[in-house]
């Protein structure tokens, strides 16, 4: 920015207004003389006193009109086309004042002069402001990154005004799909068609493309990002319209486009009656309330205005965090829901029953579970205790105290599981199914779905950390695929599915098409404006091939190449297009309980081989991979040696 512009920018607000008034006075005076010379083609009128009296009168009225019109309240660097309305009104008032002044002082001004005067005032006063705005907005290319803004609507214009005054980004062009906007000027920038982006990136050395369309559908966002992936530019976006409306984010809060924006589908509008069926005006308890799914369930539940929301969580920090967030959310939404944080584990029937009876719980969403596959493979006993016997405790407590609805959150890993985590969740489903067969006032149902974007342990946060640290990004297999869904959509569907439960239902969410994890990793790297390349070993680095290496490390313990959502092949539709119900193998309570008793004793004795035997006996279709079975054999032997030597055994 030139030195004189810097000095102007550093002036006080009062000094800037005074300078504007002086300059406008000069411009208005010149406009009058120019109008007179243009009309009478002579300068002889300058010597007449009444001409100067008329000019002074018109000048005072004009400046007052500009002041009252708010022209001096607007910051020059932020002005838009709206300022021209105020300047235009002031110019018309100035013309009227000139005409009346001429009559008052007998100046003999020709009748056409006020009209010419008004045009000159409008052009000079208005034009100077836009010229000044351009000077103030001249980006310093050495310090600011050139950006192309995709979207020339209201949001794009606001963003242009905001970025022009920031220190990080310099807008250099606008792009829009609307042919009516293309080739026009918006906010001082020309609007181009999307096909011109590659040329603009090269010509203007743009480093970032910024998506400034808050209402953009996810499918269209995917198309735009796919067209930009190979340009080696970073892609950023403004928050979604829903976040802006609810106050969660501001329009100016830029963030990188993430896989969460692209992998999820455009959500189907929820059925309001289903969302509020088990919640509105009721007392709701959520187990695992501080987890990824549990916390989002709490947010969705709170928006449906329950009488009270009970947060049941074993982690002190997670409970503290979600309680603080929900209290702030309740205040923002102005809902009277009472929020009760309960610190406890689902393995404690006493603690759980106290919470249910103390608050008169009507509905329970059971989201508490250990879910990380490799960790559960290394900690079988605790995984079984929490996922299986924790669920048994929740079911028994709910039935004992007459809870109306119990909805358990399950996983696609429960279908033909190859790991202990999946087997434990399928066994939890069997527990719910067995208890739902008995006459009871508690309606029990299960909702099964796949991976949710951004959850703890998800590949997305891990990939993001690896990219930011310079790589390598690690993928377990070139062909591994997963279903993905956003946490808000999954939580809304869980609530709606639970409302349709009749007892023993296994609801399956439509997760869309599975996605290759390798494609996700490559896409994330490209979203950062970087080039990915494959390597065979993590220590291999070849800067000449690209920016971020991607290494295929091999499947982890218990990991499957692909996940399934159905055991059988006969899903039935429900009243919601993305929720199906499945009819699957189940056991009666009489058949299941003896096996659970044996499993409980095996966990007490840390008898891993017996645990595996029981999992095979149950109708879980549990088929562990070869490496996992061998691992447990070695582990059992080690534990046996410890016990025989008198050492304290640890849970494996």
């Amino acid at each position: 920015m030139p030195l004189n512009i810097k000095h102007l920018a550093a002036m006080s607000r009062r000094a800037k207004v005074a300078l504007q008034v002086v300059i406008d006075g000069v411009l208005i005076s010149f406009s009058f003389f120019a109008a007179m010379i243009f009309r009478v083609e002579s300068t002889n009128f300058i010597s007449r006193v009444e001409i100067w009296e008329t000019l002074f009168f018109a000048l005072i009225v004009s400046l007052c009109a500009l002041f009252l019109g708010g022209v001096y309240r607007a910051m020059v660097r932020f002005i838009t086309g709206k300022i021209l309305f105020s300047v235009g009104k002031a110019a018309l008032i100035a013309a009227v004042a000139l005409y009346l002044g001429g009559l008052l002082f007998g100046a003999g001004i020709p009748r056409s002069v006020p009209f010419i005067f008004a045009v000159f005032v409008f052009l000079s006063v208005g034009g100077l402001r836009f010229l000044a705005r351009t000077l103030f907005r001249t980006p310093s290319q050495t310090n600011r990154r050139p950006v192309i803004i995709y979207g020339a609507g209201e949001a794009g214009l606001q963003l242009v005004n905001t970025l022009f005054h920031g220190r990080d980004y310099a807008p250099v062009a606008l792009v829009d799909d609307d042919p009516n906007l293309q080739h026009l000027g918006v906010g001082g920038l020309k609007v181009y068609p999307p096909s011109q982006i590659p040329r603009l990136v090269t010509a203007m050395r743009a480093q970032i493309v910024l998506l400034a369309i808050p209402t953009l559908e996810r499918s269209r966002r995917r198309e735009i990002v796919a067209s930009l992936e190979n340009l080696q530019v970073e892609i950023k976006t403004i928050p979604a319209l829903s976040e802006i409306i609810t106050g969660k984010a501001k329009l100016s809060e830029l963030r990188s486009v993430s896989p969460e924006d692209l992998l999820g589908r455009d959500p189907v509008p929820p059925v309001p009656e289903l969302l509020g069926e088990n919640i509105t005006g009721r007392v709701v308890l959520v187990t695992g309330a501080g987890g990824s799914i549990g916390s989002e369930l709490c947010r969705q539940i709170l928006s449906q205005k329950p009488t009270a929301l009970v947060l049941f969580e074993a982690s002190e920090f997670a409970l503290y965090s979600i309680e603080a967030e929900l209290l702030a959310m309740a205040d923002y939404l102005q809902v009277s829901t009472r929020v009760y944080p309960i610190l406890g584990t689902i393995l404690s029937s006493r603690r759980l029953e106290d919470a249910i009876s103390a608050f008169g719980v009507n509905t329970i969403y059971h989201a508490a579970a250990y879910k990380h596959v490799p960790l559960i493979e290394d900690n079988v006993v605790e995984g079984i205790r929490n996922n299986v016997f924790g669920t048994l405790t929740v079911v028994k407590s709910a039935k004992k105290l007459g809870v109306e609805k119990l909805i358990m959150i399950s996983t696609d890993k429960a279908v033909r599981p190859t790991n202990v985590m999946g087997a434990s969740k399928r066994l939890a489903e069997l527990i719910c199914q067995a208890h739902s067969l008995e006459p009871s006032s508690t309606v029990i149902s299960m909702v099964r779905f796949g991976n949710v974007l951004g959850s703890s342990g998800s590949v997305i946060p891990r990939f993001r950390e690896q990219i930011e640290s310079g790589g390598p990004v690690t993928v377990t297999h070139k062909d591994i695929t997963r279903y993905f869904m956003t946490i808000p959509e999954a939580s809304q569907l869980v609530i709606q599915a639970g409302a349709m439960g009749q007892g023993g239902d296994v609801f399956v969410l439509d997760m869309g098409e599975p996605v290759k994890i390798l494609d996700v990793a490559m896409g994330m790297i490209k979203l950062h404006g970087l080039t990915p390349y494959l390597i065979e070993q993590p220590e291999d680095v070849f800067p000449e091939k690209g920016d971020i290496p991607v290494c295929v490390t091999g499947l982890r313990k218990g990991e499957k190449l692909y996940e399934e959502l159905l055991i059988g092949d006969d899903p039935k539709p429900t009243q919601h297009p993305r929720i199906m119900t499945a009819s699957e193998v189940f056991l009666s309570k009489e058949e299941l309980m003896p096996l659970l008793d044996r499993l409980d004793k095996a966990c007490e004795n840390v008898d891993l081989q017996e645990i595996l035997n029981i999992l095979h006996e149950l109708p879980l279709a549990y088929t562990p991979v070869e490496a996992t079975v061998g691992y447990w054999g070695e582990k059992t032997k080690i534990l046996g040696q410890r016990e025989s030597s008198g050492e304290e055994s640890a849970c494996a």
Side-chain angles (χ1 to χ4, degrees), residues 389 596-607:
F389 295 105
L596 288 179
D597 289 339
R598 284 177 54 198
L599 186 62
D600 187 29
K601 290 179 181 177
C603 287
E604 283 185 20
N605 297 328
V606 197
D607 189 342

Side-chain angles (χ1 to χ4, degrees), residues 335-363:
V335 298
S336 58
T337 302
R338 298 184 302 276
V339 178
Y340 299 108
I342 305 297
L343 194 61
T345 170
I346 54 174
L347 288 168
S348 172
S349 58
R350 176 67 180 274
R351 184 66 171 162
L352 192 58
E353 289 174 13
D354 285 348
I356 294 172
S357 59
F359 302 110
V361 172
N362 305 112
T363 305

